């Protein structure tokens, strides 16, 4: 399932019952377009030029939003095209999966991380459990705008993909089960 043109930061969400988001709406301070979205980890997501965008500068805090539609299984994936990740040190972005319908900060994410000083420039598979982040693995490939990132959970196998190829994983992790939603993750320092 594809949720928009290739040059947009757009989640592709699947898992039995497929959902889709076009972002084909007027510019808005809300992500709600075809689907209802909830910003559960702070805010500042918006629709701008038919794509999801994190509109915050110098925050130093994580932002995440979920699509408020349950998938049929907790074995699913979420995919985004990273249009642009640039600017200040330590900017990050990517898809998240196995999120529930609450404000609890628990999910898996595959995130691109770029540092203006190039100290860190990689992709990381991370789990957030009750607000605490733990990296599960990473690759050191340079972050490139336009890359398609995907996070996938299949049983206890958690994987991160770049442009359709497995990049990190599968990692065995059983910390997060039964959660049926996907979404987007961002960080701007």
């Amino acid at each position: 399932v594809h949720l928009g043109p290739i040059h947009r930061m757009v989640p592709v969400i699947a898992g039995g019952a497929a959902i889709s988001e076009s972002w084909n709406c007027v510019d808005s301070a809300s992500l709600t377009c075809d689907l209802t979205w909830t910003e559960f980890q702070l805010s500042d997501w918006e629709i701008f030029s038919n794509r999801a965008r994190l509109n915050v500068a110098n925050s130093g805090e994580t932002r995440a939003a979920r699509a408020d539609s349950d998938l049929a299984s907790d074995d699913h994936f979420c995919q985004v095209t990273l249009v642009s990740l640039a600017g200040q040190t330590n900017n990050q972005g990517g898809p998240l999966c196995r999120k529930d319908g609450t404000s609890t900060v628990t999910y898996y994410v595959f995130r691109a991380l770029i540092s203006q000083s190039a100290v860190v420039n990689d992709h990381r598979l991370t789990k957030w459990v009750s607000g605490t982040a733990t990296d599960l693995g990473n690759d050191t490939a340079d972050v490139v705008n336009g890359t398609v990132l995907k996070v996938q959970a299949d049983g206890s196998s958690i994987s991160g993909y770049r442009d359709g190829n497995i990049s990190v994983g599968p990692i065995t992790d059983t910390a997060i089960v039964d959660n049926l939603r996907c979404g987007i993750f961002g960080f701007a320092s």
Side-chain angles (χ1 to χ4, degrees):
V1 177
H2 186 271
L3 297 176
I6 194 160
H7 294 293
R8 308 219 188 285
M9 183 173 177
V10 186
V12 175
I13 306 171
I19 60 174
S20 64
E21 174 64 76
S22 72
W23 305 111
N24 189 17
C25 295
V26 298
D27 291 356
S28 171
S30 166
L31 283 178
T32 295
C33 187
D34 299 328
L35 300 171
T36 300
W37 287 79
T38 298
E39 297 177 60
F40 65 91
Q41 196 171 0
L42 298 176
S43 60
D44 297 313
W45 285 99
E46 66 181 9
I47 297 172
F48 182 78
S49 296
N50 300 95
R51 66 180 183 217
R53 176 174 86 167
L54 185 57
N55 186 20
V56 64
N58 302 320
S59 74
E61 296 178 287
T62 299
R63 266 89 169 136
R66 69 172 185 268
D68 285 326
S69 296
D70 284 347
L71 299 169
S73 169
D74 68 352
D75 296 333
H76 58 256
F77 70 89
C78 182
Q79 178 174 297
V80 302
T81 300
L82 190 60
V83 175
S84 176
L85 186 63
Q88 303 299 316
T89 303
N90 199 25
N91 286 345
Q92 305 173 41
L96 64 90
C97 73
R98 282 205 181 154
K99 173 68 186 113
D100 66 7
T102 72
S103 61
T104 303
V105 179
T106 297
Y107 54 84
Y108 292 106
V109 61
F110 187 56
R111 58 196 171 104
L113 174 91
I114 192 166
S115 167
Q116 193 173 31
S117 63
V119 173
V120 176
N121 187 357
D122 65 8
H123 302 80
R124 296 181 185 184
L125 184 61
T126 304
K127 68 177 173 184
W128 284 77
V129 177
S130 299
T132 300
T134 304
D135 284 342
L136 301 175
N138 73 303
D139 78 20
T140 57
D142 285 344
V143 174
V144 177
N145 291 336
T147 298
V148 176
L149 300 176
K150 178 172 90 171
V151 61
Q152 180 172 320
D154 185 6
S156 62
S157 294
I158 314 302
S159 302
Y161 293 77
R162 281 185 300 104
D163 292 327
N165 298 307
I166 199 155
S167 174
V168 179
I171 303 292
T172 300
D173 191 85
T174 58
I176 307 169
V177 295
D178 299 329
N179 295 348
L180 302 177
R181 296 186 181 179
C182 289
I184 52 180
F185 169 96
F187 181 97
S189 65

